[in-house]
Amino acid sequence: MQRPRQMQRLLFLLLGQLLTFASCYTTPGPKHEQRPGGPSQEHWGYSDQDWREDYQKCDGKSQSPINVEISKTIVNKNLPKITLEGYSLPETTLLNLTNNGHTVQLSLPESMSISNTFPQKYLASQLHFHWGTESSPGAEHTVDGIRYVAEMHIVHYAAKYGSLRGAAQKADGLAVLAVLFQIGPNDNENYNHIFDKLEAISQEGDEVYIPGFDVNALLPHQLSRFFRYNGSLTTPPCFQTVTWTVFNDTVQLSKEQLHKLETSLKTGHHTLDSNFRFVQPLNGRNVLASFSSTLPSGRMVVKESAESGGDDKPGLELDEPNAFSNSSDGNQIALGDTLAIIFGILFGCTALIFVVYVLRQRKHQRLNTESGKKVIYKPTNTMEA
Ligand SMILES: [Zn+2]
């Protein structure tokens, strides 16, 4: 009866290890899909991102998002700095905030613009977000392979084309500013104008109006460090008409704020999450950097002081693993890793001791044989049934 019991214990140990590893390395993928018959007219989703059949442009050679490899960027310190006009909106301007089934989108007035940055003026149209789940990050652009927790896009169109629709298919039609988010210790109050209203637009198609506020406050402190490249809309119809500006410095949100973004909205009957497109091949495109990094192997990110809530001057630090984790899930992973290592070491030690024991026994037997003694093999009790 002893032998099966031991085998059982061994099996439990192995099973435990397997489960620990599984819990560590199984990351949930995007789980929702556009269901037919929903309010949205566009039947595309993020769980199947093969959009080429319905939207040919999505198969183009200059698609977005991309992974920015800092060491391969072309430094150009003469890139004009980003000049934003009219970003501080009066409260009397009411802004439409809607859940369109793909994201939360805030309409912006044409009085907001990017000026003296590109050869022409670009007027604001809307801003929206991309995010992951509570256990996996969901920014679209990655930097040196790091995916940040979420990303915001502020979409502008060339003034000369008169409208977003008119500009969307023109080569120089669109300019999008991209902001990457990290987890910080405090609520970023500047985002509560939007996040406080998410529950009010939980259903696809819902909308509310919010008073104008200072949209500048949603941006990183330092706008002079950015990456620039030519790409596309990251959603169908994937027009390749976007001049991208991805800010190097990140903006911090609290864990609670991110949680709200990840869980408040629905698309059909599902939670609206993981609404990010996978990175696309660069296909020889140049990515410019407006700055040269003093830390060639690391990414410079803004570190806000815990007390300031994000108002102090930013300092620099190497990128941290928290870019990947957003919460207790990060702790769970760390705990899982630790357990896996402990079980691994225990298992390894047991195996090593067993091997040493067997070798010593054999040596002992050989010595006994050589010295002419009669060798009696007597199994121990534990090996008996
Ligand atoms: Zn976007």
Side-chain angles (χ1 to χ4, degrees), residues 128-130 140 152-153 155 176 234-235 244:
H128 62 264
F129 296 83
H130 300 269
E140 294 210 300
M152 177 176 70
H153 293 156
V155 180
V176 180
T234 65
T235 57
W244 280 95

Side-chain angles (χ1 to χ4, degrees), residues 38 43 100 128 141 147 155 209 260 305 332 337:
H43 298 295
N100 66 15
H128 62 264
H141 288 89
R147 187 179 302 285
V155 180
Y209 283 85
K260 210 181 241 187
S305 78
Q332 282 170 13
D337 282 340

Side-chain angles (χ1 to χ4, degrees), residues 159-184:
K160 65 182 178 188
Y161 297 124
S163 68
L164 182 69
R165 185 179 288 269
Q169 296 196 59
K170 304 291 196 301
D172 60 350
L174 305 175
V176 180
L177 306 178
V179 174
L180 300 168
F181 296 102
Q182 281 187 288
I183 300 291

Side-chain angles (χ1 to χ4, degrees), residues 161-276:
Y161 297 124
S163 68
L164 182 69
R165 185 179 288 269
Q169 296 196 59
K170 304 291 196 301
D172 60 350
L174 305 175
V176 180
L177 306 178
V179 174
L180 300 168
F181 296 102
Q182 281 187 288
I183 300 291
N186 301 318
D187 274 1
N188 185 333
E189 304 285 344
N190 303 316
Y191 277 85
N192 286 345
H193 297 284
I194 298 170
F195 291 172
D196 282 351
K197 292 287 185 284
L198 292 179
E199 282 170 9
I201 55 165
S202 62
Q203 300 301 317
E204 184 173 342
D206 283 352
E207 60 178 359
V208 293
Y209 283 85
I210 64 173
F213 60 95
D214 186 3
V215 181
N216 286 298
L218 302 183
L219 298 171
H221 295 275
Q222 184 54 266
L223 300 185
S224 64
R225 291 191 290 261
F226 58 83
F227 304 104
R228 168 73 48 72
Y229 78 100
N230 293 326
S232 74
L233 300 173
T234 65
T235 57
C238 306
F239 295 142
Q240 298 184 147
T241 57
V242 179
T243 303
W244 280 95
T245 300
V246 180
F247 291 113
N248 173 72
D249 293 8
T250 59
V251 167
Q252 297 194 348
L253 299 174
S254 70
K255 238 189 288 187
E256 292 72 23
Q257 286 180 309
L258 187 70
H259 177 78
K260 210 181 241 187
L261 185 62
E262 290 164 345
T263 58
S264 296
L265 304 183
K266 286 198 162 17
T267 174
H269 298 298
H270 303 274
T271 302
L272 172 50
D273 59 20
S274 295
N275 57 348
F276 65 93

